[in-house]
Amino acid sequence: MSRRTPWADGLDPDAVLPEYPRPQLARDSHLNLNGWWDHALTADDRPPSSWDGRILVPFSPEAELSGVGRQLQPGEHLWYRRTVRLPEGFLVDRVLLHFGAVDQRCRVFVDGVELGAHEGGYLPFSIDVTETLADGDTHELTVDVVDPSDTSYHSRGKQSLKRGGIWYTAQSGIWQTVWMESVPALHVRGLELRPRLDDETIEVVVEASAPESADGGEPPIATVVVRADGRELARAEGPAGRPLTIPIPGARRWSPDDPFLHDVEVRLGDDLVQSYVGMRSVGVAPDAAGRPRLLLNGEPVFHAAVLDQGYWPEGLYTPPSDEAMVHDLVSMKALGFNAVRKHIKIEPLRWYHHCDRLGLLVWQDMVNGGRHYNPAVITAPVKLPVRLDDRRHHLFGRQDATGRAEFTAELEATVRLLKNSPSVVVWVPFNEGWGQFDALAAVDRVRAIDPDRIIDHASGWHDQRGGDLESLHVYFRRLKPRRRWGRDGRAVVVSEYGGYSLRLPGHEFGPREFGYRRYRSIEALTEGFARLHREEVLPAIAAGLSGVVYTQLSDVEDELNGLLTADRTVVKVDPGRVRGVLGELFAEFAAVAAPTATSEASPAPTR
């Protein structure tokens, strides 16, 4: 059976994911720490007395590419070790050690001294290691990881220690790039970039490492320069930590058809960082017939999206290369999709960068957690019209107050992490009741941090009648328009549907086949895809349907319902016919969803 992608076979262990990992806050000081480390598994939190062998970072031990092939069990400790020495001339003032993501909890040591810790398997964190590494000597870096996986309430996504069906192989440990950078004592800690199409400006907030100047007076002054194709359009300066408004009259707008990015340069003291911004707005507003529609730059736009799990047969959560990530995105566009729903996973920041520059609208899911899920809550609604009040926490596996607080903190951190990306247009806090709770409160929290995007508060079922979308999942039944669609001011989307499967010998994971309708040839699957869209999706557009998310981009383990095989070597449908069918949807939407005179750049409505 063929399970590896082409990029895995050409992987160089000495150059694993070497690209700069943070494109919207880039410096020229970058020391990549991916590659071979030592590893050991122990029964407790005491450092190992001996090591079990090598592990290729950043692949989890469960992934084939790690070289380990071992499942970390709840209660076990996974240890990493390597030596680190700063290159000559690397140190400026401070040295920061960055981890893209470590699943699930970790402690970080240098020469046996704990310097920091982190909880949460999907978000980046950094530790100041200056005092230890500044002497130029060689030092030992050690990381201790524990991961209860799906035996606790922590966010875990679709990982399961008992994989099967729609639940995938659990993974653990370091799964995104580890790297160091050198920065001045006064440096840019973060950026907020907010395009404002209504007044043709960009609002910039520069977060400084020190909120006050060295003499304890006013905040340090930041200088921001905006360029287009190398030509300076505007510059401004002002105190760090405060909004800085930069006029960009007549700015070229970002869209999937023209994903133009304005370059942004920020200087704070001796620190210089490079970034970018896409000038665009999104929202929901009624068309000429009064039906709520999704907007991009003030104009109705139909979202034809594909569901993307972000799993790799040889790397699990971790792609084998940057080129592999790009291949998936280019494949989506080549099939005619203009959007992607990133399902139950937060990707490395380079993935969003590629969506920004290639032009894909991103629906970003939050990562689900909670205790064991009740099948009556998460499965019965596939066929039955069940809607439960998500304030009944125990029903949804959310009886742990600590777990609810942890999810809320991660929700807010995710929005802050990705809100500068122009491709991200929809936030999805909950999916199909998996660990859902207080979804209306989640809408308020997201809106307070980011008032400029659309919110799909409960994708699939258990709608609490909030957010900006009525979000349907349609499997095992026909899509039927309803007269009530849009009456509450929310746009109607089918955020999952399809899921048609096709087993291709030599490309499957194993003997099982999960899908919502089975086909036996590429021709038959293509015909089924075309019939589904022409007979069900197309007629629903005039009734108010504003977007769809087809399940799914690629096969994942038992799920053989991808448009691509898991190894990404075969497109399982006729690309030309798929593009043609999606083109019919876009044409129908353009014909029936004419904008109103007041819909220009309307923001997502506040509820």
Side-chain angles (χ1 to χ4, degrees), residues 320-334:
S321 71
D322 203 62
E323 293 78 11
M325 286 193 290
V326 172
H327 172 271
D328 274 5
L329 301 175
V330 170
S331 297
M332 297 177 206
K333 296 210 70 170

Side-chain angles (χ1 to χ4, degrees), residues 550-604:
Y550 183 82
T551 304
Q552 60 185 344
L553 175 65
S554 66
D555 295 347
V556 182
E557 298 191 353
D558 292 348
E559 289 193 83
L560 301 184
N561 52 5
L563 297 170
L564 311 177
T565 53
D567 58 19
R568 274 66 165 185
T569 61
V570 179
V571 181
K572 296 165 63 178
V573 290
D574 181 327
R577 289 195 64 190
V578 169
R579 283 194 304 271
V581 169
L582 295 179
E584 293 174 23
L585 304 186
F586 291 127
E588 174 70 4
F589 187 83
V592 302
T596 65
T598 59
S599 65
E600 173 67 22
S602 300

Side-chain angles (χ1 to χ4, degrees), residues 335-354:
L335 287 168
F337 294 97
N338 67 347
V340 53
R341 179 179 171 196
K342 176 49 61 179
H343 197 36
I344 316 297
K345 183 190 178 193
I346 301 166
E347 290 284 4
L349 292 177
R350 290 194 61 83
W351 186 88
Y352 301 94
H353 167 64
H354 293 312

